[in-house]
Amino acid sequence: MQFADAYNKLNTNQKLAVDTLDGPVMVVAGPGTGKTQVLALRIANILQKTDIGPSGILCLTFTRSGVTAMRDRLESYIGTRANDVVINTFHSFAISLVQKHFDLIGFEIEPKLIDDAEGVFLVDEILHDNDWEHLRPRTNPAMYFGELKSLISLMKRERLTHEQFLEYIETEIKELKENPDSISSRGESKGSLKKDVEKKIESLERTKEVVQFYKLYEERKRGLGLMDYDDVLYFAVRVVEISDEARADVYENYQYVLVDEHQDSSAVQNNFLKAVWGDFESMGLTPNIFVVGDDRQLIYGFSGANINYFTEFKTFFGKAKLITLTENYRSTSPILALADDLLSSSITEEKLRSNSAGDTGITLAQYVYERDEILGAGLYFKQQIAQGIPEHECALLVPKNRHVRNAVSILSQMGLHVSSAGNISLFSKPETESLLRVLSIVADPFNAVSLSASLLDKTSGIPPMMAHTFLRNTKPQYLTIGELTDNGKSNGLFDDQNEIATWGKQLESWISTLTYEKLSLVVATIGNELLINKVTSHDELLHTVEVVRSFIHTALAYETKHVGATLPEFLEYIERLKSYGNSIELATFGGTSGIQVMTLHRSKGLEYKAVWIAHMNEQTLMSEKRSAFTLPEKVKEKINERTVEAAKRELYVAITRAKELCTISYAKENYGGGELELARIVADLDKKHFIEKTAEQTETELLVHGPKIYTEITSVEKTETLEALKQYVKENFEQTNATVTLLNNFFECPWKWYFRNFLKLPEVKGVSLALGSAVHSTIEFILKEKKLPTDKILKAKIEECLLKEGVQDKKELKDLSKSAEKAVSNWIKNYYEHLAKDHQSERSLQFRDSDFPQLKMYGKLDLTETFPNGDIVVTDFKTGKPKTKSEIEKMTDEGRLSDYMRQLAMYSYLVRGGKKDESVSISKLLFLEAETKDKNALYSAHISQEQIDLLKRDIGEYNQALQNGTWIENECHFKPWGGGADECPYCALSKRIFN
């Protein structure tokens, strides 16, 4: 299309925006009002009506896709001259400035930009190499990575140094202490700081560790000659602030500046415009800056965007010409009416006007559960596609990334073609786990954990029951590749047909031929031979090739940056990325085809014929992650907290993506039976906008497709293999001792019991378990000695125990030794002198109850004390955070004892069963790492007959479930914890094996 043809089709205000070439111009452009076309035509108009060449025009956008769209549109108007116009993202333009003037900001050589993956390693090194009390929890060192990253990004965008951050904290602590309202005026604490104030001050003190981390991060980065994504803009602003020459270089080279999506500008982006062109008015000049944006589409507040940066443009560079675009060429009138009712502009009173035909109303549908919403969406999209709407014109928009993952999974299992572009992480694919497992065996042939798991993977070619039987009959310490290759040798002529031996020989072959080969060759060879060569269908081939080629791309990129990279180093790199939540995007075929599934945020700038907006519950839409750190108010005010206005802007963007059809859905209940409500911002809208459907109506619509619509996505299929497994368990479970750990695992997740207690799969020991074992062993050592060992001997014993537990990293060994020494010292100081003379350490007990004669009850008691009056006291030692009395005694939703109470009940049960004349008087839980004054350091109680009966009920249910095979249907009660897995790893493993 030529320029003149396109220009003549513009409406009045669009032409005004294209023709007003000089001075500051501010365009408020609602969704679908043609802002990209206006920007492109304006550039073409500048070239036609002025003597400025293409290189004298600077157009700044916020995304790479925005750059591509702008250049393509401009090329259609002016041809190849479009390639000479400087169209860049803010960051790309800033990088070019830093590369040109890096010496001005203290670098001797050009700083290297680090990507997210490299940033992970930098953070990991700082967390690992320094002593942290809060930032690096023992159980999950990566727990606060995301929040640290976000906080540092915030500081950069707001141009706050670590010194300023610390000053804010110190000032707030001082103000809290000096504020008369902080002082208690009654009760025992009269005249002292109120408890809540004390807690806030303590939290602020802990936040000082963030300041220290920020300081070390900046120092380490600068020392390595690196800059991160947020540095780029900060450095660019510094360059033009401190150098008249650099500043003049920018404004002399670019006579016309255009900024797209200006409402999304952060402080540092806005400061760049001010630093270069802010003084023009004082020089009697007017900058030709043109900005376009929409205050209602500001949804990047978390990235530092603020509506004030947009609105102040009206006067900052001189009085700007204000132009409003309201004629919408995308959506129908009902959609725009709903959008305008939801959110009004703070800059203009004009409403959007539709230029599109269509009067279909917006559906507001209630469902019983969140999953039902996605089933409803899937059936709706099937109907629309059957009626002629292309599948890529259908979009499902959801609030959070976890909703995206769930929706993609459900829609795919409904047989729908779903776009995976940018939505699927390489780490989410089961083939990835299969490949990583084999790579780890090649890197370390003695890795029993990976070796045992490989036998259960379908890629091994081993029949499931053969693998399960072999693992149960092989002790972990004897699980080697040699044990695999020797398996079945007694079969004589049929030796070669033994699948376990065949798998062992395949592993041996890879180890012998690939150990010293180039990393990318190792990944490509195993990927092809393990995965691609075994597929049986075209679709499976495509999915498998996506995984393998993504792995090869990752390996090649790693090789490029790390000359001579080894397989173990690459696997450590992958493991760190996984632990810090950094994903590698799956390199998909046809990633933009299929039904589009994405978050509300990601939908910005896109458009679809049919849009379904799901999970619009108040509890979901308005929820936000609690900060792990208490921030000073001056920092907190810079964070865009979850407000009603922010939620409205997100929904506004989502609604205005729809061209013709729009559905909004919400759930009536959560999976725990709790009541959910329609988001208030939707409930407050006039009902005239909606075609409403109740949960009863949507349930009826789903049931039209048969009851199986609710159950066709199952966690475990009832295959012949599964039936054989149930029989195998029934015949062999009685050989496994019934311990309290076994029962706790069984009632948390039956598959956890199966893999950990029945099969006894080798597992990597976590640091908490290693610490606990070392502390227990050291206390046992003390109790068996006639006199208290010296500190030197105890330190040596602790280190010996930790090394035995597999702790090899020097920093980790030092940290765990310190924690263990503190716990042991605490025990000696507070409890050693008070021990009964008659005491026994690590006492093993076992017996058979006449109610369950086939089961052997077994347990090991940390400490048993018998006092002169005959009282028997049993104590169990615990490391980690102490639990409150209510946490320990709280019954589960199923009316069972907590894990802690079940443990104490089991000890009393064992003592009574082992010796008929004995019974436990007092049962104790001693939390060895608790502070001296912590009232929860010691829990003490008498176990009643009622609690013993509850324990025996559990044992009976365990026994019965395994006898009749119903155990696989038991509910999993896995609960995700901070930074941990979202899904139970044992349930996930069962799905991989049996689905």
Side-chain angles (χ1 to χ4, degrees):
M1 182 188 291
Q2 297 299 312
F3 169 79
D5 292 337
Y7 177 83
N8 289 331
K9 292 179 182 179
L10 296 178
N11 62 45
T12 302
N13 278 13
Q14 286 176 328
K15 285 181 179 177
L16 182 61
V18 169
D19 290 334
T20 309
L21 301 185
D22 299 326
V25 179
M26 180 180 184
V27 176
V28 180
T33 55
K35 68 178 180 62
T36 302
Q37 186 180 25
V38 165
L39 281 163
L41 287 172
R42 178 182 171 81
I43 292 171
N45 202 29
I46 292 169
L47 294 174
Q48 283 199 355
K49 293 183 176 178
T50 73
D51 57 359
I52 299 297
S55 61
I57 300 172
L58 173 63
C59 181
L60 297 173
T61 75
F62 282 79
T63 62
R64 292 190 187 96
S65 60
V67 170
T68 302
M70 183 67 63
R71 197 172 295 285
D72 289 346
R73 186 73 64 92
L74 185 59
E75 189 171 350
S76 71
Y77 296 151
I78 64 173
T80 56
R81 291 183 76 199
N83 295 322
D84 295 324
V85 177
V86 182
I87 306 174
N88 264 328
T89 63
F90 256 104
H91 274 84
S92 295
F93 184 72
I95 287 173
S96 65
L97 269 180
V98 173
Q99 289 172 336
K100 188 174 181 180
H101 302 287
F102 61 83
D103 57 315
L104 296 176
I105 47 177
F107 285 98
E108 294 182 4
I109 58 173
E110 183 183 312
K112 177 187 173 187
L113 181 66
I114 57 174
D115 58 25
D116 283 346
E118 292 169 318
V120 165
F121 279 80
L122 185 61
V123 169
D124 185 65
E125 287 171 8
I126 297 169
L127 288 175
H128 181 273
D129 295 344
N130 296 274
D131 292 324
W132 305 102
E133 187 176 351
H134 308 290
L135 296 190
R136 194 174 188 268
R138 181 194 309 143
T139 52
N140 182 14
M143 181 180 289
Y144 299 127
F145 169 74
E147 193 148 359
L148 284 170
K149 188 177 176 184
S150 296
L151 272 175
I152 289 173
S153 188
L154 173 73
M155 300 304 145
K156 300 281 187 65
R157 292 193 305 266
E158 299 299 330
R159 305 186 74 185
L160 291 175
T161 64
H162 68 271
E163 292 95 346
Q164 289 171 312
F165 191 16
L166 181 60
E167 183 183 343
Y168 287 160
I169 294 174
E170 298 284 13
T171 300
E172 185 149 329
I173 289 175
K174 183 181 178 183
E175 289 174 353
L176 283 169
K177 288 180 177 179
E178 295 177 354
N179 189 337
D181 292 338
S182 298
I183 308 299
S184 178
S185 59
R186 56 187 176 182
E188 294 181 4
S189 60
K190 184 177 180 179
S192 303
L193 287 173
K194 293 177 181 176
K195 292 294 181 185
D196 60 331
V197 175
E198 279 186 349
K199 285 184 178 180
K200 186 170 184 180
I201 290 173
E202 288 171 5
S203 296
L204 285 166
E205 291 286 355
R206 288 196 292 271
T207 305
K208 287 182 181 179
E209 275 202 341
V210 178
V211 179
Q212 180 63 13
F213 176 88
Y214 185 22
K215 178 174 181 288
L216 291 172
Y217 175 78
E218 290 300 296
E219 290 174 351
R220 180 76 63 93
K221 189 158 48 64
R222 170 72 71 158
L224 294 171
L226 302 173
M227 61 179 177
D228 62 24
Y229 189 76
D230 292 302
D231 285 330
V232 172
L233 287 171
Y234 176 79
F235 288 158
V237 173
R238 287 295 298 142
V239 164
V240 295
E241 280 179 339
I242 63 180
S243 170
D244 294 339
E245 181 184 347
R247 185 166 61 256
D249 192 32
V250 175
Y251 68 67
E252 288 175 3
N253 281 334
Y254 305 108
Q255 302 298 307
Y256 287 89
V257 180
L258 301 91
V259 182
D260 190 14
E261 302 283 10
H262 188 253
Q263 81 279 348
D264 288 331
S265 290
S266 66
V268 69
Q269 288 162 328
N270 216 43
N271 285 340
F272 177 77
L273 299 178
K274 291 179 179 180
V276 177
W277 291 281
D279 289 338
F280 266 45
E281 193 173 11
S282 64
M283 295 186 289
L285 302 172
T286 304
N288 299 318
I289 304 179
F290 176 94
V291 301
V292 59
D294 180 9
D295 57 306
R296 289 183 288 187
Q297 295 189 72
L298 190 162
I299 60 172
Y300 288 94
F302 63 88
S303 294
N306 188 302
I307 194 62
N308 293 332
Y309 304 145
F310 184 44
T311 56
E312 72 177 5
F313 183 84
K314 288 187 290 186
T315 56
F316 188 85
F317 298 97
K319 188 175 181 180
K321 174 74 173 179
L322 181 64
I323 302 169
T324 304
L325 304 182
T326 56
E327 191 164 355
N328 180 286
Y329 296 89
R330 175 192 302 158
S331 307
T332 61
S333 293
I335 291 170
L336 296 184
L338 175 64
D340 273 325
D341 196 4
L342 172 70
L343 191 61
S344 299
S345 171
S346 60
I347 300 174
T348 177
E349 294 181 0
E350 293 188 58
K351 293 186 179 296
L352 295 171
R353 299 187 305 277
S354 176
N355 202 282
S356 304
D359 58 1
T360 305
I362 290 84
T363 299
L364 178 61
Q366 182 191 58
Y367 286 82
V368 179
Y369 298 116
E370 283 188 346
R371 182 169 169 271
D372 299 349
E373 293 179 66
I374 308 306
L375 294 174
L379 294 173
Y380 174 78
F381 289 140
K382 281 185 178 182
Q383 180 185 12
Q384 298 306 319
I385 292 166
Q387 292 176 1
I389 292 182
E391 54 187 14
H392 68 269
E393 283 280 2
C394 298
L396 175 60
L397 310 183
V398 291
K400 302 179 189 300
N401 285 320
R402 64 180 173 86
H403 296 133
V404 172
R405 294 191 292 269
N406 291 338
V408 167
S409 175
I410 294 170
L411 294 179
S412 297
Q413 292 185 58
M414 290 178 74
L416 288 160
H417 182 201
V418 184
S419 167
S420 58
N423 286 334
I424 296 183
S425 165
L426 179 61
F427 299 143
S428 70
K429 304 295 286 183
E431 295 89 348
T432 297
E433 291 298 316
S434 301
L435 182 52
L436 281 174
R437 196 173 291 120
V438 172
L439 289 173
S440 67
I441 295 170
V442 172
D444 177 11
F446 300 100
N447 185 335
V449 174
S450 294
L451 191 57
S452 63
S454 78
L455 299 178
L456 298 173
D457 197 305
K458 67 177 183 179
T459 56
S460 69
I462 303 170
M465 286 314 302
M466 177 184 284
H468 290 236
T469 304
F470 174 80
L471 285 167
R472 178 161 171 79
N473 295 329
T474 305
K475 291 184 178 180
Q477 62 266 35
Y478 298 123
L479 186 60
T480 63
I481 294 178
E483 191 72 15
L484 268 58
T485 57
D486 288 345
N487 190 65
K489 280 195 172 178
S490 59
N491 291 339
L493 291 174
F494 300 101
D495 278 359
D496 291 340
Q497 296 179 23
N498 182 284
E499 289 88 346
I500 292 176
T502 301
W503 178 240
K505 290 170 185 174
Q506 175 65 83
L507 293 173
E508 273 190 342
S509 173
W510 281 327
I511 291 166
S512 63
T513 59
L514 298 174
T515 296
Y516 299 106
E517 289 291 349
K518 192 177 180 183
L519 170 62
S520 53
L521 177 64
V522 175
V523 172
T525 302
I526 295 178
N528 278 282
E529 295 179 6
L530 177 73
L531 299 174
I532 293 177
N533 295 349
K534 295 180 181 180
V535 299
T536 56
S537 71
H538 181 258
D539 284 347
E540 189 182 0
L541 176 64
L542 286 178
H543 295 151
T544 306
V545 170
E546 287 175 348
V547 171
V548 175
R549 77 166 178 163
S550 298
F551 248 109
I552 293 172
H553 290 170
T554 305
L556 287 168
Y558 188 79
E559 278 179 341
T560 302
K561 292 183 178 180
H562 304 84
V563 179
T566 65
L567 180 57
E569 290 170 344
F570 177 67
L571 291 174
E572 181 188 4
Y573 165 76
I574 294 293
E575 192 54 42
R576 287 203 199 182
L577 290 185
K578 287 172 65 180
S579 69
Y580 281 98
N582 268 52
S583 63
I584 295 173
E585 191 173 309
L586 187 69
T588 58
F589 295 112
T592 56
S593 63
I595 296 168
Q596 307 293 304
V597 184
M598 66 193 74
T599 61
L600 308 182
H601 267 95
R602 190 164 184 178
S603 71
K604 188 173 179 183
L606 304 174
E607 56 183 48
Y608 306 96
K609 282 192 176 181
V611 169
W612 186 297
I613 306 167
H615 309 321
M616 290 296 102
N617 292 98
E618 181 73 12
Q619 294 83 349
T620 303
L621 194 62
M622 295 307 297
S623 68
E624 61 180 331
K625 185 179 177 182
R626 285 185 62 190
S627 174
F629 309 105
T630 296
L631 301 177
E633 293 300 324
K634 282 194 175 182
V635 174
K636 196 182 294 183
E637 67 188 19
K638 298 178 186 298
I639 298 176
N640 183 63
E641 295 184 353
R642 193 68 177 162
T643 64
V644 171
E645 286 302 304
K648 281 185 176 182
R649 289 195 291 266
E650 280 185 16
L651 183 56
Y652 178 88
V653 165
I655 291 169
T656 54
R657 299 311 95 198
K659 299 178 188 176
E660 299 174 10
L661 305 170
C662 182
T663 298
I664 297 173
S665 68
Y666 64 104
K668 181 180 176 182
E669 298 177 23
N670 62 31
Y671 295 116
E675 185 177 337
L676 296 176
E677 299 169 325
L678 175 63
R680 190 168 72 252
I681 61 173
V682 180
D684 289 344
L685 293 169
D686 196 316
K687 300 300 181 187
K688 69 182 181 183
H689 295 295
F690 301 116
I691 302 167
E692 294 191 71
K693 293 182 181 180
T694 65
E696 290 74 20
Q697 289 174 305
T698 57
E699 187 173 66
T700 300
E701 289 177 355
L702 290 176
L703 286 172
V704 167
H705 301 269
K708 285 188 177 180
I709 188 69
Y710 288 105
T711 59
E712 63 184 1
I713 307 169
T714 57
S715 57
V716 180
E717 291 180 0
K718 293 187 176 180
T719 60
E720 289 182 10
T721 301
L722 204 54
E723 292 302 316
L725 180 74
K726 285 157 59 175
Q727 186 61 33
Y728 181 64
V729 167
K730 179 179 178 179
E731 293 171 357
N732 292 279
F733 83 92
E734 294 169 1
Q735 299 171 21
T736 303
N737 291 340
T739 67
V740 70
T741 301
L742 173 146
L743 291 173
N744 286 345
N745 288 342
F746 182 81
F747 288 110
E748 178 187 332
C749 172
W751 288 109
K752 182 175 184 178
W753 164 83
Y754 178 77
F755 291 117
R756 291 192 72 168
N757 300 101
F758 185 79
L759 277 194
K760 294 183 172 65
L761 285 186
E763 292 188 317
V764 176
K765 281 190 176 180
V767 291
S768 291
L769 189 58
L771 174 67
S773 297
V775 170
H776 278 71
S777 297
T778 305
I779 291 178
E780 181 185 7
F781 170 70
I782 295 170
L783 291 170
K784 289 181 177 179
E785 293 293 301
K786 292 182 178 179
K787 64 177 183 178
L788 185 65
T790 64
D791 288 345
K792 183 178 180 181
I793 292 174
L794 291 177
K795 286 182 179 181
K797 180 65 179 177
I798 287 169
E799 185 170 324
E800 174 193 326
C801 293
L802 289 170
L803 289 169
K804 188 177 178 181
E805 291 295 321
V807 180
Q808 300 294 328
D809 182 89
K810 289 183 179 179
K811 177 68 168 57
E812 201 164 70
L813 181 62
K814 178 184 174 184
D815 291 343
L816 289 178
S817 294
K818 185 178 177 181
S819 295
E821 289 164 15
K822 182 179 178 181
V824 171
S825 174
N826 183 38
W827 177 78
I828 292 172
K829 178 181 177 182
N830 295 298
Y831 303 100
Y832 180 73
E833 294 295 331
H834 305 291
L835 286 172
K837 289 186 178 180
D838 184 359
H839 62 261
Q840 190 174 351
S841 171
E842 297 293 317
R843 179 187 179 189
S844 295
L845 289 172
Q846 62 184 46
F847 82 105
R848 291 184 186 272
D849 191 322
S850 58
D851 291 335
F852 321 103
Q854 72 278 22
L855 297 177
K856 183 167 72 174
M857 310 299 169
Y858 176 79
K860 186 177 282 188
L861 283 61
D862 289 346
L863 176 64
T864 307
E865 299 175 86
T866 304
F867 289 87
N869 64 357
D871 285 351
I872 295 176
V873 177
V874 172
T875 303
D876 190 71
F877 301 134
K878 298 289 184 187
T879 49
K881 184 180 178 181
K883 303 297 179 184
T884 64
K885 184 175 185 290
S886 60
E887 287 177 298
I888 294 168
E889 295 180 352
K890 184 179 180 181
M891 303 287 283
T892 69
D893 293 339
E894 297 78 36
R896 303 186 193 281
L897 298 172
S898 72
D899 287 357
Y900 293 103
M901 290 307 297
R902 187 184 287 122
Q903 184 172 13
L904 295 181
M906 176 63 96
Y907 292 162
S908 290
Y909 178 55
L910 285 168
V911 169
R912 183 188 299 179
K915 287 190 175 182
K916 301 300 180 184
D917 59 337
E918 284 190 2
S919 63
V920 177
S921 304
I922 300 294
S923 298
K924 296 180 178 180
L925 293 173
L926 178 56
F927 295 93
L928 298 167
E929 292 188 272
E931 297 297 329
T932 305
K933 295 180 181 179
D934 193 333
K935 65 179 182 180
N936 297 315
L938 178 65
Y939 172 81
S940 180
H942 171 71
I943 298 300
S944 67
Q945 183 59 45
E946 181 183 358
Q947 290 167 317
I948 297 288
D949 291 342
L950 285 171
L951 170 68
K952 290 188 66 174
R953 187 191 72 178
D954 287 348
I955 296 171
E957 290 185 16
Y958 160 80
N959 182 58
Q960 186 65 35
L962 298 179
Q963 288 281 1
N964 59 28
T966 59
W967 62 274
I968 65 166
E969 298 167 11
N970 284 11
E971 185 179 353
C972 174
H973 298 286
F974 169 79
K975 292 181 180 178
W977 47 279
D982 291 332
E983 181 183 15
C984 170
Y986 301 98
C987 287
L989 179 56
S990 73
K991 290 177 187 177
R992 289 201 296 272
I993 295 171
F994 298 112
N995 274 6

